[in-house]
Amino acid sequence: MTGKEGQHYRFSEAPIWELQRAYYEEQGLKAWNNDQVPQYITSNPMIATAYAEMIFGFLQDRAGQGHLSEAVTILELGAGAGRLAFHILKKLSEIIDYAGTPLPPFRYVMSDLPVKNITSWQQHPSLLPFVEQGILDFARFDAVQDTELHLVHAKLSIKPGDLQQPLLLVANYFFDSIPQELIYVDEGKIFECEVSIQYSESAGSDNPSDVLGTIIPQYHYVRAANYEVETYPYHDVIKLYQQKLEDSHILFPVVGLSCLERLAKLSTEGFVLLTADKGDHRIENWEFAEPPLLIHHGSFSLTANYHAIQHMLEQKGAYSLFTTHHYKNLNIGCILMLDAPMSYTNTRLGYKRFIERFGPDDFFSMKEWMDQELDTMGLQQILAFWRLGGYDAEWFIHSAEQISELLPDASDEEMLDLQQGIRLMWTGYYPMEQSYDLSLDAGLLLYEMDKFEEALAYLERSMHANTEEPLASVLYSMAICNYELGAEGAALDYARRALAVEPDNEVVLELITALSED
């Protein structure tokens, strides 16, 4: 980090951005372990399904226009932990296989700034099948300056003008985490908000995250008439702010807009942007806005200015979609920077059906409520919400204890649905370093349902994935599973291991005695 305490910086050049960059480069995928940096809300199966449906609609639209030969490049910016890409590719592949209609080929490119992330993606077992199919590749991309994409596996460079299909961009929690300018509007005049940084006394750590957590920004106002001249690249939206806003602090996405301009040049046919963030596209939400707070969660994030992005792209002929109702946690947009954007009917219908009608923000609001009300829910309600969320592992982990309580009164049909749900969840599970053991919870529930063969498979996965000796109760369950499956020798081995963990466990002793007599 450069600079001194008390020194004034342009907001986009403040040390916070250098610390942010250092944090992600040092941590790699560890930044998302146990949600240190939030990822669930923008990476769960629900939002991935919505994106997959819009992408499928876009492929249908291109096919309907006769563009079937060239591949469509889908570029995810700031792909982070990789979970969103996995869920999108899984669902998109399912939809394409089910539809069986002619579509242009596609390649999904995960990109990010840290090289560590790319190395981890290349080794992730859930991503490798898509790489082997030739539909997934990786690229390092710096949103501040890069003008090309260099694909790792294809060993291909994509330069301006190379793409003959529109570029499809996915950008979740992206625009809020890259450098932004901060301006202040009052009485028709623009001021630049420079920032000085104060650190608490505990800021001596070498860990960028620790330092970020102690920073207190102070803002200083400098008249900035250069924003107001007609030659300023984003003069149109600045003029609008001068006319419509008073006493307002505005995060202005110069880097974000520049990034989109550079990416737009890769294709001769324009681009589509699918994006989700805590960002405002309504100008009234920026009126009387206070100076921004740095939301610290390992790294930090701000509010994305979707209004400026939407306005500037619409001035160039884009058609944009944001929800007509007011979001609570997540604003989701689809911007079609294309010739004749209204002709992309299936893309627009995908947004209407999967975002506008009931979308990921609605789902997350419901999940927050259901997390608190879980102990009042019956098995049918738990299963219904699980289906709605695409058999998401997080909901299962959270509800496993309540499901166990309800199992004694469950119908055969409910248990069959639960068994099928566990299978679907596992095929759609993207492993990350988390504090929970999904295979253990799945195995124990299946054991309680007397599904001994499947229970044993999950319990064995759990045991092989963990270096510590399992609990006696788990080893006992594995002993019973083996006994019910006719493997009495294995049952006795597991029972003896359980006894070694708990020498006074009478239930285990009884099992060993019974097995020894057989």
Side-chain angles (χ1 to χ4, degrees):
M1 184 176 63
T2 59
K4 303 176 181 178
E5 293 185 30
Q7 183 175 343
H8 294 193
Y9 304 89
R10 291 190 70 177
F11 191 72
S12 63
E13 298 171 358
I16 55 174
W17 302 107
E18 193 174 337
L19 286 164
Q20 176 102 311
R21 185 174 185 138
Y23 169 75
Y24 282 114
E25 289 183 336
E26 287 179 14
Q27 293 294 310
L29 294 199
K30 291 180 181 179
W32 290 271
N33 288 358
N34 296 310
D35 282 339
Q36 180 178 220
V37 174
Q39 52 81 28
Y40 175 79
I41 188 173
T42 57
S43 300
N44 61 67
M46 174 72 175
I47 192 170
T49 296
Y51 279 26
E53 291 284 357
M54 288 188 284
I55 294 169
F56 177 67
F58 176 76
L59 295 176
Q60 286 180 299
D61 288 329
R62 294 301 290 176
Q65 296 168 14
H67 303 289
L68 282 160
S69 57
E70 296 289 336
V72 171
T73 298
I74 305 164
L75 173 64
E76 184 181 349
L77 299 168
R83 188 180 178 196
L84 178 66
F86 167 75
H87 286 307
I88 289 177
L89 285 168
K90 183 176 182 298
K91 181 54 66 173
L92 182 58
S93 298
E94 289 175 4
I95 297 169
I96 290 173
D97 290 344
Y98 185 83
T101 56
L103 296 170
F106 72 90
R107 61 184 166 201
Y108 195 107
V109 180
M110 296 169 62
S111 74
D112 215 333
L113 181 64
V115 174
K116 280 185 179 179
N117 289 6
I118 297 171
T119 302
S120 297
W121 298 336
Q122 290 179 286
Q123 299 168 357
H124 200 292
S126 295
L127 298 175
L128 288 176
F130 299 117
V131 175
E132 292 166 359
Q133 294 173 44
I135 60 174
L136 176 62
D137 213 322
F138 312 112
R140 183 180 183 274
F141 183 74
D142 185 342
V144 176
Q145 61 185 12
D146 284 352
T147 59
E148 300 178 359
L149 286 175
H150 303 284
L151 306 190
V152 172
H153 286 283
K155 301 187 185 306
L156 172 71
S157 292
I158 300 176
K159 300 177 181 179
D162 282 354
L163 300 180
Q164 304 305 304
Q165 292 271 30
L167 177 63
L168 205 158
L169 298 171
V170 174
N172 283 7
Y173 273 1
F174 175 73
F175 293 106
D176 72 337
S177 300
I178 58 177
Q180 304 181 58
E181 301 298 349
L182 179 60
I183 60 175
Y184 174 72
V185 183
D186 194 38
E187 297 182 351
K189 295 182 175 62
I190 303 295
F191 298 81
E192 192 155 40
C193 296
E194 295 183 345
V195 62
S196 60
I197 304 298
Q198 287 187 343
Y199 303 88
S200 75
E201 293 180 359
S202 61
S205 171
D206 292 331
N207 186 332
S209 178
D210 292 343
V211 178
L212 282 169
T214 69
I215 281 177
I216 303 170
Q218 289 191 332
Y219 299 107
H220 314 272
Y221 300 86
V222 178
R223 184 77 170 90
N226 55 302
Y227 282 89
E228 301 169 11
V229 298
E230 291 189 6
T231 54
Y232 181 66
Y234 312 114
H235 175 260
D236 285 350
V237 71
I238 292 293
K239 185 177 180 181
L240 185 65
Y241 291 161
Q242 289 177 271
Q243 295 170 346
K244 300 290 186 181
L245 300 179
E246 289 290 335
D247 190 18
S248 303
H249 296 80
I250 301 167
L251 288 160
F252 198 71
V254 173
V255 170
L257 288 165
S258 169
C259 176
L260 291 175
E261 290 164 3
R262 283 178 274 117
L263 289 171
K265 293 178 181 178
L266 298 180
S267 171
T268 60
E269 299 296 315
F271 66 88
V272 175
L273 172 64
L274 305 180
T275 181
D277 221 317
K278 53 181 188 299
D280 283 319
H281 67 281
R282 295 179 173 91
I283 191 171
E284 59 268 23
N285 289 347
W286 292 97
E287 190 168 13
F288 305 118
E290 297 289 331
L293 299 174
L294 303 183
I295 308 302
H296 182 253
H297 36 59
S299 60
F300 74 91
S301 61
L302 298 161
T303 298
N305 187 345
Y306 279 147
H307 175 268
I309 294 172
Q310 176 187 23
H311 183 88
M312 291 306 302
L313 293 181
E314 285 182 348
Q315 290 294 304
K316 297 178 180 180
Y319 178 78
S320 61
L321 294 160
F322 284 89
T323 54
T324 54
H325 60 269
H326 290 79
Y327 73 95
K328 181 179 183 294
N329 297 288
L330 195 66
N331 197 4
I332 302 174
C334 173
I335 301 180
L336 296 92
M337 188 68 240
L338 305 165
D339 289 336
M342 296 302 290
S343 67
Y344 287 78
T345 305
N346 291 299
T347 311
R348 294 186 294 108
L349 280 173
Y351 186 92
K352 185 175 182 62
R353 292 168 177 161
F354 294 94
I355 304 294
E356 179 71 29
R357 181 178 175 272
F358 178 89
D361 182 60
D362 303 305
F363 171 78
F364 188 75
S365 296
M366 287 183 62
K367 184 180 180 301
E368 285 188 311
W369 180 81
M370 289 188 166
D371 284 344
Q372 302 301 317
E373 300 296 324
L374 188 57
D375 58 354
T376 69
M377 296 173 66
L379 195 52
Q380 275 297 312
Q381 289 74 45
I382 292 172
L383 290 170
F385 190 68
W386 198 23
R387 282 191 290 272
L388 178 65
Y391 294 99
D392 177 48
E394 181 158 322
W395 175 247
F396 175 81
I397 288 290
H398 191 64
S399 60
E401 186 175 341
Q402 176 69 359
I403 292 172
S404 178
E405 292 288 330
L406 296 169
L407 274 181
D409 297 319
S411 67
D412 291 343
E413 290 82 4
E414 287 172 331
M415 285 200 281
L416 285 171
D417 284 350
L418 179 56
Q419 182 182 15
Q420 175 69 1
I422 290 173
R423 291 172 186 163
L424 292 169
M425 174 188 67
W426 192 258
T427 61
Y429 177 52
Y430 185 79
M432 296 172 58
E433 287 192 32
Q434 304 287 3
S435 57
Y436 56 72
D437 186 341
L438 182 65
S439 53
L440 177 61
D441 280 4
L444 291 175
L445 272 181
L446 288 163
Y447 169 74
E448 292 179 46
M449 295 161 59
D450 295 339
K451 308 295 183 184
F452 299 113
E453 186 173 0
E454 283 192 69
L456 184 60
Y458 283 102
L459 293 173
E460 287 176 343
R461 283 193 192 107
S462 172
M463 187 172 66
H464 293 152
N466 294 288
T467 56
E468 297 181 1
E469 183 73 32
L471 296 173
S473 59
V474 175
L475 292 166
Y476 176 79
S477 300
M478 297 177 78
I480 294 296
C481 288
N482 277 285
Y483 175 76
E484 294 290 344
L485 296 170
E488 294 185 2
L492 184 58
D493 287 342
Y494 279 118
R496 286 172 174 162
R497 287 177 63 179
L499 189 65
V501 177
E502 288 187 12
D504 298 327
N505 192 311
E506 294 182 3
V507 175
V508 176
L509 280 167
E510 290 175 6
L511 178 60
I512 291 174
T513 300
L515 289 169
S516 299
E517 291 175 352
D518 288 345

